[in-house]
Amino acid sequence: MSVKINENYLLLKSNYIFAEINRRVEKFQKENPDAQVIKMGIGDVTRPLPKAVVDAFESAVLEMGQVESFMGYGPEQGYSFLREEIIEKDYKKLGVELSTDEIFISDAAKCDTANIQEIFGLENIIAVTDPVYPVYVDSNVMAGRSGPMQDNGQYKGIVYLPCTAENNFIPELPETPVDLIYLCLPNNPTGTALTREELTKWIDYAKENNSIILFDAAYEAYVTEEDIPRSIYEIEGAKEVAIEFRSFSKNAGFTGTRCAFTVVPKDITAVDSEGKTHDLNSLWNRRQTTKFNGVSYPVQVAAKAVYSPEGQKEIKESIEYYLKNAGIIRESMEKIGIKVYGGMNSPYIWVKTPENMDSWEFFDLLLNKANIVGTPGVGFGPSGEGYFRLTAFNTLENTIEAMNRISKLSI
Ligand code: PLP
């Protein structure tokens, strides 16, 4: 007998999209060594950590080198100095009351959104919007909830909720009951968001159907419009049906520093096979204390500095910088008659590809004729076909240059 693998991994779609982008870009650069390629495909920030954050980070590192102030293992759930700051500065201003033990500090929203499914039974039906941040789907495939991939690019056991221009990127409530619903708002990749009224329908749905919403708010800092909620807990009753994920990656530039948090309210419950109710806060706490040993002390001190007045001022400037880029992209594309979505409450601009051109054809056109790299929408799910994602995470200069090049194309 030999060791057997987890065969669910064999069901995963290969990371074909990013490998294929790299292959095409490398080939192009080899053939055109003088071309100045501008990359607008990657969802990573480019502006450095705020000075207030770096200063705090540095002094915490120095503390680690002194016997009097050295810190070993911290609490798996995170230090209370950061958890309390989150409650005070992120949630109180929204009128949301949370307690410290409802906040779990982690090193990434990617891990948390991937790991959360572990505390739920395999028989649960999951629903995702389409297109989608791939982590939600792939983590459920690995766990064995998906069944095989079908010819239409969808997994048999997963419910897909299409979000396209036809429905204004507002997912319709599922036709058949679902248990776990992943919502990412403002959305990656479409850059669109739901209003309070629209999100309220989802809370009502979850209550009526005993479902749970897994709400990824990684981009909440980009919300500019009044009627777009920053947290799902702004909606009445959400604490009974929603888990919220947040991250310091996209608001404060922590993509390389790693810090995030997940809110698991005490009121949210699920049942076992005998119908007995269990609170998910205890389950997630058990999961984290078993498999995770906390985020490093200096990183948590650095994350706390995000909430200082100087930190807030600096992150506001960075977000405005990216949103300005997003505005330039929107305006330039619209000027040449291309339909765009998102970019108002998000660093992502979702471009409708010109008629008779699919996602990859548009990719090749931009690469070959304007030396610009974006992401074909089809890489985020079947409903992404015919769309293309551009990101505002470049420099202002590169963004302007890229738009000048696109404006000269005859599309
Ligand atoms: N959630 C969404 C929707 C994202 O787009 C990303 C990163 O691109 C993440 C989570 C990951 O955040 P983190 O850097 O905290 O892992």
Side-chain angles (χ1 to χ4, degrees), residues 43 107-111 113 133 136 184 188 216 218-219 246-250 254-255 258-260 348:
D107 58 355
K110 184 175 188 173
C111 310
T113 54
Y133 177 55
Y136 317 146
C184 171
N188 176 17
D216 187 344
Y219 297 95
R246 291 223 187 166
S247 170
F248 294 98
S249 284
K250 305 298 163 77
F254 273 57
T255 51
R258 315 307 293 138
C259 197
Y348 298 121

mmCIF file of all heavy atoms in Angstrom, residues 43 107-111 113 133 136 184 188 216 218-219 246-250 254-255 258-260 348, ligand 1:
data_model
loop_
_atom_site.group_PDB
_atom_site.id
_atom_site.type_symbol
_atom_site.label_atom_id
_atom_site.label_comp_id
_atom_site.label_asym_id
_atom_site.label_seq_id
_atom_site.Cartn_x
_atom_site.Cartn_y
_atom_site.Cartn_z
ATOM 1 N N GLY A 43 -3.150 42.511 -8.174
ATOM 2 C CA GLY A 43 -3.923 43.126 -7.099
ATOM 3 C C GLY A 43 -3.071 43.458 -5.891
ATOM 4 O O GLY A 43 -3.513 43.296 -4.758
ATOM 5 N N ASP A 107 -2.844 36.508 10.207
ATOM 6 C CA ASP A 107 -1.833 37.053 9.302
ATOM 7 C C ASP A 107 -2.386 37.298 7.903
ATOM 8 O O ASP A 107 -1.666 37.792 7.044
ATOM 9 C CB ASP A 107 -0.588 36.147 9.258
ATOM 10 C CG ASP A 107 -0.915 34.735 8.819
ATOM 11 O OD1 ASP A 107 -2.113 34.429 8.650
ATOM 12 O OD2 ASP A 107 0.011 33.938 8.654
ATOM 13 N N ALA A 108 -3.643 36.953 7.650
ATOM 14 C CA ALA A 108 -4.150 37.194 6.300
ATOM 15 C C ALA A 108 -5.631 36.902 6.158
ATOM 16 O O ALA A 108 -6.141 35.948 6.737
ATOM 17 C CB ALA A 108 -3.404 36.311 5.297
ATOM 18 N N ALA A 109 -6.267 37.738 5.364
ATOM 19 C CA ALA A 109 -7.651 37.443 5.003
ATOM 20 C C ALA A 109 -7.698 36.273 4.022
ATOM 21 O O ALA A 109 -8.690 35.550 3.951
ATOM 22 C CB ALA A 109 -8.301 38.677 4.387
ATOM 23 N N LYS A 110 -6.603 36.079 3.285
ATOM 24 C CA LYS A 110 -6.579 34.935 2.357
ATOM 25 C C LYS A 110 -6.717 33.635 3.140
ATOM 26 O O LYS A 110 -7.557 32.785 2.816
ATOM 27 C CB LYS A 110 -5.291 34.935 1.537
ATOM 28 C CG LYS A 110 -5.234 33.840 0.503
ATOM 29 C CD LYS A 110 -4.007 33.969 -0.351
ATOM 30 C CE LYS A 110 -4.048 33.001 -1.515
ATOM 31 N NZ LYS A 110 -2.934 33.228 -2.442
ATOM 32 N N CYS A 111 -5.885 33.483 4.204
ATOM 33 C CA CYS A 111 -5.949 32.258 5.011
ATOM 34 C C CYS A 111 -7.316 32.135 5.678
ATOM 35 O O CYS A 111 -7.912 31.057 5.671
ATOM 36 C CB CYS A 111 -4.898 32.239 6.098
ATOM 37 S SG CYS A 111 -3.265 32.607 5.531
ATOM 38 N N THR A 113 -10.274 33.412 4.917
ATOM 39 C CA THR A 113 -11.393 33.100 4.013
ATOM 40 C C THR A 113 -11.272 31.672 3.472
ATOM 41 O O THR A 113 -12.266 31.048 3.131
ATOM 42 C CB THR A 113 -11.504 34.110 2.839
ATOM 43 O OG1 THR A 113 -10.249 34.187 2.162
ATOM 44 C CG2 THR A 113 -11.922 35.480 3.311
ATOM 45 N N TYR A 133 -13.379 35.896 -6.266
ATOM 46 C CA TYR A 133 -12.014 35.736 -5.732
ATOM 47 C C TYR A 133 -11.803 34.219 -5.576
ATOM 48 O O TYR A 133 -12.544 33.572 -4.824
ATOM 49 C CB TYR A 133 -11.954 36.470 -4.396
ATOM 50 C CG TYR A 133 -10.658 36.388 -3.627
ATOM 51 C CD1 TYR A 133 -9.445 36.761 -4.204
ATOM 52 C CD2 TYR A 133 -10.650 35.983 -2.296
ATOM 53 C CE1 TYR A 133 -8.265 36.709 -3.475
ATOM 54 C CE2 TYR A 133 -9.470 35.938 -1.558
ATOM 55 C CZ TYR A 133 -8.285 36.294 -2.161
ATOM 56 O OH TYR A 133 -7.120 36.241 -1.433
ATOM 57 N N TYR A 136 -12.218 31.305 -2.326
ATOM 58 C CA TYR A 136 -13.441 30.734 -1.729
ATOM 59 C C TYR A 136 -13.773 29.390 -2.403
ATOM 60 O O TYR A 136 -14.119 28.416 -1.740
ATOM 61 C CB TYR A 136 -14.659 31.648 -1.898
ATOM 62 C CG TYR A 136 -14.454 33.122 -1.649
ATOM 63 C CD1 TYR A 136 -15.161 34.070 -2.395
ATOM 64 C CD2 TYR A 136 -13.575 33.577 -0.671
ATOM 65 C CE1 TYR A 136 -15.002 35.426 -2.172
ATOM 66 C CE2 TYR A 136 -13.405 34.926 -0.449
ATOM 67 C CZ TYR A 136 -14.116 35.854 -1.213
ATOM 68 O OH TYR A 136 -13.951 37.187 -1.012
ATOM 69 N N CYS A 184 -18.213 39.241 -1.384
ATOM 70 C CA CYS A 184 -17.033 40.089 -1.284
ATOM 71 C C CYS A 184 -17.445 41.478 -1.743
ATOM 72 O O CYS A 184 -17.772 41.673 -2.912
ATOM 73 C CB CYS A 184 -15.929 39.531 -2.178
ATOM 74 S SG CYS A 184 -14.516 40.632 -2.341
ATOM 75 N N ASN A 188 -13.927 42.151 -5.491
ATOM 76 C CA ASN A 188 -12.817 41.799 -6.362
ATOM 77 C C ASN A 188 -13.314 40.589 -7.143
ATOM 78 O O ASN A 188 -13.711 39.620 -6.518
ATOM 79 C CB ASN A 188 -11.579 41.417 -5.542
ATOM 80 C CG ASN A 188 -10.442 40.947 -6.402
ATOM 81 O OD1 ASN A 188 -10.428 41.173 -7.603
ATOM 82 N ND2 ASN A 188 -9.474 40.272 -5.793
ATOM 83 N N ASP A 216 -16.491 39.151 2.914
ATOM 84 C CA ASP A 216 -15.107 39.598 2.749
ATOM 85 C C ASP A 216 -15.101 41.100 2.473
ATOM 86 O O ASP A 216 -15.497 41.552 1.403
ATOM 87 C CB ASP A 216 -14.470 38.813 1.590
ATOM 88 C CG ASP A 216 -12.976 39.081 1.457
ATOM 89 O OD1 ASP A 216 -12.482 40.062 2.031
ATOM 90 O OD2 ASP A 216 -12.310 38.286 0.755
ATOM 91 N N ALA A 218 -12.370 43.087 2.507
ATOM 92 C CA ALA A 218 -10.955 43.472 2.355
ATOM 93 C C ALA A 218 -10.791 44.866 1.734
ATOM 94 O O ALA A 218 -9.774 45.522 1.934
ATOM 95 C CB ALA A 218 -10.217 42.428 1.526
ATOM 96 N N TYR A 219 -11.819 45.304 1.004
ATOM 97 C CA TYR A 219 -11.697 46.599 0.305
ATOM 98 C C TYR A 219 -12.594 47.681 0.897
ATOM 99 O O TYR A 219 -12.850 48.693 0.236
ATOM 100 C CB TYR A 219 -11.998 46.406 -1.200
ATOM 101 C CG TYR A 219 -10.981 45.487 -1.832
ATOM 102 C CD1 TYR A 219 -11.238 44.120 -1.962
ATOM 103 C CD2 TYR A 219 -9.741 45.963 -2.230
ATOM 104 C CE1 TYR A 219 -10.291 43.257 -2.489
ATOM 105 C CE2 TYR A 219 -8.780 45.116 -2.753
ATOM 106 C CZ TYR A 219 -9.058 43.767 -2.884
ATOM 107 O OH TYR A 219 -8.105 42.924 -3.399
ATOM 108 N N ARG A 246 -11.594 41.103 7.404
ATOM 109 C CA ARG A 246 -10.957 42.364 7.023
ATOM 110 C C ARG A 246 -9.450 42.174 6.984
ATOM 111 O O ARG A 246 -8.931 41.204 7.520
ATOM 112 C CB ARG A 246 -11.295 43.448 8.040
ATOM 113 C CG ARG A 246 -12.741 43.866 7.997
ATOM 114 C CD ARG A 246 -12.821 45.341 8.087
ATOM 115 N NE ARG A 246 -14.177 45.809 8.221
ATOM 116 C CZ ARG A 246 -14.479 47.043 8.592
ATOM 117 N NH1 ARG A 246 -13.505 47.899 8.888
ATOM 118 N NH2 ARG A 246 -15.726 47.432 8.661
ATOM 119 N N SER A 247 -8.777 43.136 6.388
ATOM 120 C CA SER A 247 -7.336 42.994 6.221
ATOM 121 C C SER A 247 -6.684 44.365 6.249
ATOM 122 O O SER A 247 -7.310 45.352 5.873
ATOM 123 C CB SER A 247 -7.082 42.325 4.873
ATOM 124 O OG SER A 247 -5.716 42.367 4.555
ATOM 125 N N PHE A 248 -5.425 44.409 6.697
ATOM 126 C CA PHE A 248 -4.666 45.663 6.623
ATOM 127 C C PHE A 248 -3.904 45.759 5.298
ATOM 128 O O PHE A 248 -3.158 46.701 5.090
ATOM 129 C CB PHE A 248 -3.684 45.757 7.806
ATOM 130 C CG PHE A 248 -4.385 45.883 9.139
ATOM 131 C CD1 PHE A 248 -4.585 44.781 9.958
ATOM 132 C CD2 PHE A 248 -4.875 47.109 9.559
ATOM 133 C CE1 PHE A 248 -5.243 44.891 11.179
ATOM 134 C CE2 PHE A 248 -5.545 47.234 10.783
ATOM 135 C CZ PHE A 248 -5.726 46.122 11.582
ATOM 136 N N SER A 249 -4.109 44.762 4.424
ATOM 137 C CA SER A 249 -3.337 44.723 3.173
ATOM 138 C C SER A 249 -3.644 45.882 2.246
ATOM 139 O O SER A 249 -2.748 46.563 1.760
ATOM 140 C CB SER A 249 -3.627 43.418 2.423
ATOM 141 O OG SER A 249 -2.957 42.351 3.023
ATOM 142 N N LYS A 250 -4.930 46.084 1.971
ATOM 143 C CA LYS A 250 -5.275 47.028 0.910
ATOM 144 C C LYS A 250 -5.549 48.432 1.424
ATOM 145 O O LYS A 250 -5.585 49.375 0.665
ATOM 146 C CB LYS A 250 -6.472 46.494 0.102
ATOM 147 C CG LYS A 250 -6.260 45.084 -0.460
ATOM 148 C CD LYS A 250 -5.111 45.007 -1.431
ATOM 149 C CE LYS A 250 -4.627 43.593 -1.695
ATOM 150 N NZ LYS A 250 -5.428 42.799 -2.577
ATOM 151 N N PHE A 254 -0.237 46.459 3.906
ATOM 152 C CA PHE A 254 0.348 45.326 4.634
ATOM 153 C C PHE A 254 0.470 44.047 3.790
ATOM 154 O O PHE A 254 0.612 42.968 4.363
ATOM 155 C CB PHE A 254 -0.496 45.010 5.874
ATOM 156 C CG PHE A 254 -0.114 45.809 7.102
ATOM 157 C CD1 PHE A 254 -0.122 47.196 7.088
ATOM 158 C CD2 PHE A 254 0.250 45.174 8.289
ATOM 159 C CE1 PHE A 254 0.217 47.934 8.218
ATOM 160 C CE2 PHE A 254 0.592 45.894 9.430
ATOM 161 C CZ PHE A 254 0.580 47.269 9.392
ATOM 162 N N THR A 255 0.408 44.141 2.475
ATOM 163 C CA THR A 255 0.441 42.893 1.684
ATOM 164 C C THR A 255 1.720 42.090 1.945
ATOM 165 O O THR A 255 1.694 40.869 1.939
ATOM 166 C CB THR A 255 0.275 43.166 0.173
ATOM 167 O OG1 THR A 255 1.216 44.167 -0.212
ATOM 168 C CG2 THR A 255 -1.125 43.643 -0.173
ATOM 169 N N ARG A 258 1.662 41.457 6.418
ATOM 170 C CA ARG A 258 0.705 40.436 6.800
ATOM 171 C C ARG A 258 0.010 40.684 8.141
ATOM 172 O O ARG A 258 0.563 40.411 9.206
ATOM 173 C CB ARG A 258 1.333 39.018 6.821
ATOM 174 C CG ARG A 258 2.212 38.639 5.663
ATOM 175 C CD ARG A 258 1.575 38.840 4.314
ATOM 176 N NE ARG A 258 0.463 37.950 4.064
ATOM 177 C CZ ARG A 258 -0.665 38.365 3.476
ATOM 178 N NH1 ARG A 258 -0.816 39.622 3.108
ATOM 179 N NH2 ARG A 258 -1.634 37.516 3.259
ATOM 180 N N CYS A 259 -1.163 41.224 8.073
ATOM 181 C CA CYS A 259 -2.028 41.290 9.251
ATOM 182 C C CYS A 259 -3.467 41.498 8.789
ATOM 183 O O CYS A 259 -3.716 42.260 7.841
ATOM 184 C CB CYS A 259 -1.608 42.428 10.183
ATOM 185 S SG CYS A 259 -2.296 42.243 11.851
ATOM 186 N N ALA A 260 -4.370 40.794 9.431
ATOM 187 C CA ALA A 260 -5.782 40.860 9.055
ATOM 188 C C ALA A 260 -6.593 40.485 10.291
ATOM 189 O O ALA A 260 -6.017 40.201 11.351
ATOM 190 C CB ALA A 260 -6.061 39.882 7.915
ATOM 191 N N TYR A 348 -10.444 48.422 -8.264
ATOM 192 C CA TYR A 348 -10.569 47.610 -9.479
ATOM 193 C C TYR A 348 -11.558 48.215 -10.470
ATOM 194 O O TYR A 348 -12.636 48.679 -10.078
ATOM 195 C CB TYR A 348 -11.021 46.183 -9.128
ATOM 196 C CG TYR A 348 -10.018 45.468 -8.261
ATOM 197 C CD1 TYR A 348 -10.373 44.994 -7.004
ATOM 198 C CD2 TYR A 348 -8.709 45.295 -8.687
ATOM 199 C CE1 TYR A 348 -9.437 44.363 -6.195
ATOM 200 C CE2 TYR A 348 -7.776 44.659 -7.882
ATOM 201 C CZ TYR A 348 -8.141 44.201 -6.646
ATOM 202 O OH TYR A 348 -7.215 43.583 -5.845
HETATM 203 N N1 PLP B 1 -9.891 39.010 -0.069
HETATM 204 C C1 PLP B 1 -9.908 39.546 -1.290
HETATM 205 C C2 PLP B 1 -11.208 39.747 -1.962
HETATM 206 C C3 PLP B 1 -8.724 39.886 -1.942
HETATM 207 O O1 PLP B 1 -8.766 40.408 -3.170
HETATM 208 C C4 PLP B 1 -7.505 39.661 -1.300
HETATM 209 C C5 PLP B 1 -6.222 39.972 -1.934
HETATM 210 O O2 PLP B 1 -6.079 40.295 -3.068
HETATM 211 C C6 PLP B 1 -7.540 39.109 -0.026
HETATM 212 C C7 PLP B 1 -8.739 38.784 0.568
HETATM 213 C C8 PLP B 1 -6.265 38.770 0.666
HETATM 214 O O3 PLP B 1 -5.931 39.639 1.679
HETATM 215 P P1 PLP B 1 -4.662 39.345 2.589
HETATM 216 O O4 PLP B 1 -3.519 40.112 1.989
HETATM 217 O O5 PLP B 1 -5.049 39.829 3.938
HETATM 218 O O6 PLP B 1 -4.409 37.889 2.561
#
